[in-house]
PDB file of all heavy atoms in Angstrom:
ATOM      1  N   THR A  22     104.843  92.357 101.346  1.00 92.00           N
ATOM      2  CA  THR A  22     106.230  92.246 101.780  1.00 92.00           C
ATOM      3  C   THR A  22     106.365  91.085 102.755  1.00 92.00           C
ATOM      4  O   THR A  22     105.364  90.513 103.194  1.00 92.00           O
ATOM      5  CB  THR A  22     106.707  93.534 102.492  1.00 92.00           C
ATOM      6  OG1 THR A  22     106.162  93.572 103.813  1.00 92.00           O
ATOM      7  CG2 THR A  22     106.315  94.783 101.732  1.00 92.00           C
ATOM      8  N   ASP A  23     107.590  90.796 103.142  1.00 90.00           N
ATOM      9  CA  ASP A  23     107.823  89.769 104.157  1.00 90.00           C
ATOM     10  C   ASP A  23     107.472  90.277 105.554  1.00 90.00           C
ATOM     11  O   ASP A  23     107.620  89.548 106.523  1.00 90.00           O
ATOM     12  CB  ASP A  23     109.280  89.303 104.110  1.00 90.00           C
ATOM     13  CG  ASP A  23     109.526  88.314 102.988  1.00 90.00           C
ATOM     14  OD1 ASP A  23     108.643  88.134 102.125  1.00 90.00           O
ATOM     15  OD2 ASP A  23     110.617  87.714 102.975  1.00 90.00           O
ATOM     16  N   GLY A  24     107.005  91.524 105.653  1.00 89.00           N
ATOM     17  CA  GLY A  24     106.588  92.092 106.936  1.00 89.00           C
ATOM     18  C   GLY A  24     105.145  92.541 106.950  1.00 89.00           C
ATOM     19  O   GLY A  24     104.714  93.217 107.873  1.00 89.00           O
ATOM     20  N   GLY A  25     104.370  92.190 105.923  1.00 88.00           N
ATOM     21  CA  GLY A  25     102.961  92.562 105.874  1.00 88.00           C
ATOM     22  C   GLY A  25     102.605  93.312 104.607  1.00 88.00           C
ATOM     23  O   GLY A  25     103.430  93.533 103.726  1.00 88.00           O
ATOM     24  N   LEU A  26     101.333  93.734 104.539  1.00 91.00           N
ATOM     25  CA  LEU A  26     100.807  94.475 103.396  1.00 91.00           C
ATOM     26  C   LEU A  26     100.843  95.970 103.660  1.00 91.00           C
ATOM     27  O   LEU A  26     100.758  96.414 104.806  1.00 91.00           O
ATOM     28  CB  LEU A  26      99.356  94.071 103.129  1.00 91.00           C
ATOM     29  CG  LEU A  26      99.094  92.631 102.721  1.00 91.00           C
ATOM     30  CD1 LEU A  26      97.590  92.377 102.641  1.00 91.00           C
ATOM     31  CD2 LEU A  26      99.744  92.341 101.386  1.00 91.00           C
ATOM     32  N   ALA A  27     100.914  96.748 102.571  1.00 94.00           N
ATOM     33  CA  ALA A  27     100.869  98.203 102.696  1.00 94.00           C
ATOM     34  C   ALA A  27     100.240  98.789 101.440  1.00 94.00           C
ATOM     35  O   ALA A  27     100.278  98.196 100.363  1.00 94.00           O
ATOM     36  CB  ALA A  27     102.270  98.770 102.898  1.00 94.00           C
ATOM     37  N   ARG A  28      99.678  99.979 101.613  1.00 95.00           N
ATOM     38  CA  ARG A  28      99.164 100.761 100.489  1.00 95.00           C
ATOM     39  C   ARG A  28     100.190 101.845 100.198  1.00 95.00           C
ATOM     40  O   ARG A  28     100.731 102.468 101.110  1.00 95.00           O
ATOM     41  CB  ARG A  28      97.818 101.373 100.840  1.00 95.00           C
ATOM     42  CG  ARG A  28      97.224 102.169  99.700  1.00 95.00           C
ATOM     43  CD  ARG A  28      95.863 102.706 100.005  1.00 95.00           C
ATOM     44  NE  ARG A  28      95.873 103.397 101.288  1.00 95.00           N
ATOM     45  CZ  ARG A  28      94.861 103.402 102.137  1.00 95.00           C
ATOM     46  NH1 ARG A  28      93.776 102.733 101.869  1.00 95.00           N
ATOM     47  NH2 ARG A  28      94.928 104.068 103.257  1.00 95.00           N
ATOM     48  N   LEU A  29     100.470 102.077  98.906  1.00 95.00           N
ATOM     49  CA  LEU A  29     101.472 103.066  98.521  1.00 95.00           C
ATOM     50  C   LEU A  29     100.800 104.349  98.058  1.00 95.00           C
ATOM     51  O   LEU A  29      99.815 104.319  97.338  1.00 95.00           O
ATOM     52  CB  LEU A  29     102.347 102.517  97.402  1.00 95.00           C
ATOM     53  CG  LEU A  29     103.111 101.237  97.724  1.00 95.00           C
ATOM     54  CD1 LEU A  29     103.894 100.771  96.501  1.00 95.00           C
ATOM     55  CD2 LEU A  29     104.040 101.436  98.897  1.00 95.00           C
ATOM     56  N   ASP A  30     101.358 105.469  98.473  1.00 91.00           N
ATOM     57  CA  ASP A  30     100.897 106.783  98.042  1.00 91.00           C
ATOM     58  C   ASP A  30     101.889 107.288  96.996  1.00 91.00           C
ATOM     59  O   ASP A  30     103.010 107.672  97.336  1.00 91.00           O
ATOM     60  CB  ASP A  30     100.848 107.738  99.226  1.00 91.00           C
ATOM     61  CG  ASP A  30     100.345 109.116  98.856  1.00 91.00           C
ATOM     62  OD1 ASP A  30     100.392 109.487  97.656  1.00 91.00           O
ATOM     63  OD2 ASP A  30      99.915 109.850  99.761  1.00 91.00           O
ATOM     64  N   PRO A  31     101.500 107.303  95.700  1.00 85.00           N
ATOM     65  CA  PRO A  31     102.446 107.683  94.656  1.00 85.00           C
ATOM     66  C   PRO A  31     102.806 109.170  94.653  1.00 85.00           C
ATOM     67  O   PRO A  31     103.837 109.546  94.118  1.00 85.00           O
ATOM     68  CB  PRO A  31     101.731 107.299  93.362  1.00 85.00           C
ATOM     69  CG  PRO A  31     100.293 107.268  93.711  1.00 85.00           C
ATOM     70  CD  PRO A  31     100.207 106.904  95.162  1.00 85.00           C
ATOM     71  N   LEU A  32     101.990 109.999  95.254  1.00 86.00           N
ATOM     72  CA  LEU A  32     102.291 111.430  95.294  1.00 86.00           C
ATOM     73  C   LEU A  32     103.290 111.776  96.391  1.00 86.00           C
ATOM     74  O   LEU A  32     104.228 112.543  96.172  1.00 86.00           O
ATOM     75  CB  LEU A  32     101.002 112.238  95.473  1.00 86.00           C
ATOM     76  CG  LEU A  32      99.962 112.054  94.368  1.00 86.00           C
ATOM     77  CD1 LEU A  32      98.694 112.825  94.692  1.00 86.00           C
ATOM     78  CD2 LEU A  32     100.534 112.469  93.025  1.00 86.00           C
ATOM     79  N   ARG A  33     103.093 111.203  97.564  1.00 91.00           N
ATOM     80  CA  ARG A  33     103.991 111.481  98.692  1.00 91.00           C
ATOM     81  C   ARG A  33     105.137 110.484  98.791  1.00 91.00           C
ATOM     82  O   ARG A  33     106.043 110.658  99.592  1.00 91.00           O
ATOM     83  CB  ARG A  33     103.206 111.467 100.005  1.00 91.00           C
ATOM     84  CG  ARG A  33     102.153 112.540 100.104  1.00 91.00           C
ATOM     85  CD  ARG A  33     101.405 112.474 101.401  1.00 91.00           C
ATOM     86  NE  ARG A  33     101.348 111.098 101.898  1.00 91.00           N
ATOM     87  CZ  ARG A  33     101.251 110.756 103.168  1.00 91.00           C
ATOM     88  NH1 ARG A  33     101.181 111.660 104.082  1.00 91.00           N
ATOM     89  NH2 ARG A  33     101.199 109.493 103.537  1.00 91.00           N
ATOM     90  N   LEU A  34     105.081 109.408  97.982  1.00 92.00           N
ATOM     91  CA  LEU A  34     106.070 108.328  98.024  1.00 92.00           C
ATOM     92  C   LEU A  34     106.203 107.778  99.435  1.00 92.00           C
ATOM     93  O   LEU A  34     107.289 107.673  99.999  1.00 92.00           O
ATOM     94  CB  LEU A  34     107.428 108.794  97.480  1.00 92.00           C
ATOM     95  CG  LEU A  34     107.434 109.181  96.017  1.00 92.00           C
ATOM     96  CD1 LEU A  34     108.803 109.665  95.604  1.00 92.00           C
ATOM     97  CD2 LEU A  34     106.974 108.031  95.138  1.00 92.00           C
ATOM     98  N   ARG A  35     105.052 107.415  99.993  1.00 95.00           N
ATOM     99  CA  ARG A  35     104.975 106.856 101.341  1.00 95.00           C
ATOM    100  C   ARG A  35     104.214 105.533 101.281  1.00 95.00           C
ATOM    101  O   ARG A  35     103.384 105.318 100.409  1.00 95.00           O
ATOM    102  CB  ARG A  35     104.221 107.803 102.289  1.00 95.00           C
ATOM    103  CG  ARG A  35     104.767 109.188 102.425  1.00 95.00           C
ATOM    104  CD  ARG A  35     105.886 109.360 103.388  1.00 95.00           C
ATOM    105  NE  ARG A  35     105.625 108.767 104.691  1.00 95.00           N
ATOM    106  CZ  ARG A  35     106.586 108.385 105.518  1.00 95.00           C
ATOM    107  NH1 ARG A  35     107.831 108.532 105.199  1.00 95.00           N
ATOM    108  NH2 ARG A  35     106.304 107.863 106.687  1.00 95.00           N
ATOM    109  N   ALA A  36     104.507 104.678 102.247  1.00 96.00           N
ATOM    110  CA  ALA A  36     103.785 103.415 102.407  1.00 96.00           C
ATOM    111  C   ALA A  36     102.985 103.479 103.690  1.00 96.00           C
ATOM    112  O   ALA A  36     103.449 104.012 104.697  1.00 96.00           O
ATOM    113  CB  ALA A  36     104.765 102.248 102.465  1.00 96.00           C
ATOM    114  N   GLU A  37     101.776 102.972 103.632  1.00 95.00           N
ATOM    115  CA  GLU A  37     100.898 102.928 104.797  1.00 95.00           C
ATOM    116  C   GLU A  37     100.601 101.465 105.108  1.00 95.00           C
ATOM    117  O   GLU A  37      99.796 100.825 104.424  1.00 95.00           O
ATOM    118  CB  GLU A  37      99.603 103.673 104.470  1.00 95.00           C
ATOM    119  CG  GLU A  37      98.693 103.904 105.612  1.00 95.00           C
ATOM    120  CD  GLU A  37      97.472 104.700 105.142  1.00 95.00           C
ATOM    121  OE1 GLU A  37      97.631 105.664 104.381  1.00 95.00           O
ATOM    122  OE2 GLU A  37      96.364 104.306 105.550  1.00 95.00           O
ATOM    123  N   PRO A  38     101.278 100.888 106.122  1.00 93.00           N
ATOM    124  CA  PRO A  38     101.069  99.468 106.432  1.00 93.00           C
ATOM    125  C   PRO A  38      99.624  99.177 106.827  1.00 93.00           C
ATOM    126  O   PRO A  38      98.957  99.998 107.461  1.00 93.00           O
ATOM    127  CB  PRO A  38     102.005  99.210 107.606  1.00 93.00           C
ATOM    128  CG  PRO A  38     103.023 100.289 107.525  1.00 93.00           C
ATOM    129  CD  PRO A  38     102.300 101.484 106.955  1.00 93.00           C
ATOM    130  N   LEU A  39      99.152  98.027 106.432  1.00 87.00           N
ATOM    131  CA  LEU A  39      97.807  97.593 106.778  1.00 87.00           C
ATOM    132  C   LEU A  39      97.818  97.094 108.219  1.00 87.00           C
ATOM    133  O   LEU A  39      98.543  96.160 108.544  1.00 87.00           O
ATOM    134  CB  LEU A  39      97.371  96.467 105.833  1.00 87.00           C
ATOM    135  CG  LEU A  39      95.929  96.022 105.900  1.00 87.00           C
ATOM    136  CD1 LEU A  39      95.005  97.134 105.447  1.00 87.00           C
ATOM    137  CD2 LEU A  39      95.731  94.809 105.003  1.00 87.00           C
ATOM    138  N   PRO A  40      97.039  97.716 109.100  1.00 76.00           N
ATOM    139  CA  PRO A  40      97.040  97.290 110.506  1.00 76.00           C
ATOM    140  C   PRO A  40      96.364  95.935 110.701  1.00 76.00           C
ATOM    141  O   PRO A  40      95.586  95.470 109.865  1.00 76.00           O
ATOM    142  CB  PRO A  40      96.268  98.390 111.233  1.00 76.00           C
ATOM    143  CG  PRO A  40      95.648  99.244 110.204  1.00 76.00           C
ATOM    144  CD  PRO A  40      96.196  98.880 108.871  1.00 76.00           C
ATOM    145  N   ARG A  41      96.637  95.329 111.814  1.00 59.00           N
ATOM    146  CA  ARG A  41      96.095  94.020 112.172  1.00 59.00           C
ATOM    147  C   ARG A  41      94.561  94.025 112.120  1.00 59.00           C
ATOM    148  O   ARG A  41      93.953  93.074 111.624  1.00 59.00           O
ATOM    149  CB  ARG A  41      96.574  93.643 113.574  1.00 59.00           C
ATOM    150  CG  ARG A  41      96.210  92.217 113.974  1.00 59.00           C
ATOM    151  CD  ARG A  41      96.613  91.917 115.388  1.00 59.00           C
ATOM    152  NE  ARG A  41      97.821  91.256 115.735  1.00 59.00           N
ATOM    153  CZ  ARG A  41      98.479  90.289 115.126  1.00 59.00           C
ATOM    154  NH1 ARG A  41      98.082  89.870 113.992  1.00 59.00           N
ATOM    155  NH2 ARG A  41      99.544  89.732 115.598  1.00 59.00           N
ATOM    156  N   ALA A  42      93.920  95.076 112.561  1.00 51.00           N
ATOM    157  CA  ALA A  42      92.460  95.156 112.588  1.00 51.00           C
ATOM    158  C   ALA A  42      91.848  95.156 111.189  1.00 51.00           C
ATOM    159  O   ALA A  42      90.682  94.832 111.016  1.00 51.00           O
ATOM    160  CB  ALA A  42      92.015  96.394 113.349  1.00 51.00           C
ATOM    161  N   GLN A  43      92.629  95.513 110.184  1.00 55.00           N
ATOM    162  CA  GLN A  43      92.129  95.540 108.810  1.00 55.00           C
ATOM    163  C   GLN A  43      92.625  94.354 107.989  1.00 55.00           C
ATOM    164  O   GLN A  43      92.622  94.392 106.775  1.00 55.00           O
ATOM    165  CB  GLN A  43      92.542  96.851 108.138  1.00 55.00           C
ATOM    166  CG  GLN A  43      91.857  98.048 108.741  1.00 55.00           C
ATOM    167  CD  GLN A  43      92.277  99.327 108.039  1.00 55.00           C
ATOM    168  OE1 GLN A  43      93.375  99.433 107.512  1.00 55.00           O
ATOM    169  NE2 GLN A  43      91.387 100.307 108.050  1.00 55.00           N
ATOM    170  N   GLY A  44      93.067  93.308 108.646  1.00 53.00           N
ATOM    171  CA  GLY A  44      93.460  92.106 107.948  1.00 53.00           C
ATOM    172  C   GLY A  44      94.951  91.898 107.857  1.00 53.00           C
ATOM    173  O   GLY A  44      95.409  90.985 107.183  1.00 53.00           O
ATOM    174  N   GLY A  45      95.730  92.747 108.492  1.00 52.00           N
ATOM    175  CA  GLY A  45      97.177  92.622 108.433  1.00 52.00           C
ATOM    176  C   GLY A  45      97.723  91.679 109.485  1.00 52.00           C
ATOM    177  O   GLY A  45      98.781  91.938 110.044  1.00 52.00           O
TER     178      GLY A  45
END
């Protein structure tokens, strides 16, 4: 996204942004 990377959970329909420490 224009605000960073995220992993999507298709079961809960949630996004988990990638933190700065993990390359975000």
Side-chain angles (χ1 to χ4, degrees):
T22 76
D23 281 11
L26 296 174
R28 181 177 50 215
L29 301 178
D30 181 339
L32 300 176
R33 297 179 330 152
L34 296 178
R35 303 277 311 156
E37 189 178 317
L39 189 66
R41 187 184 263 325
Q43 293 181 331

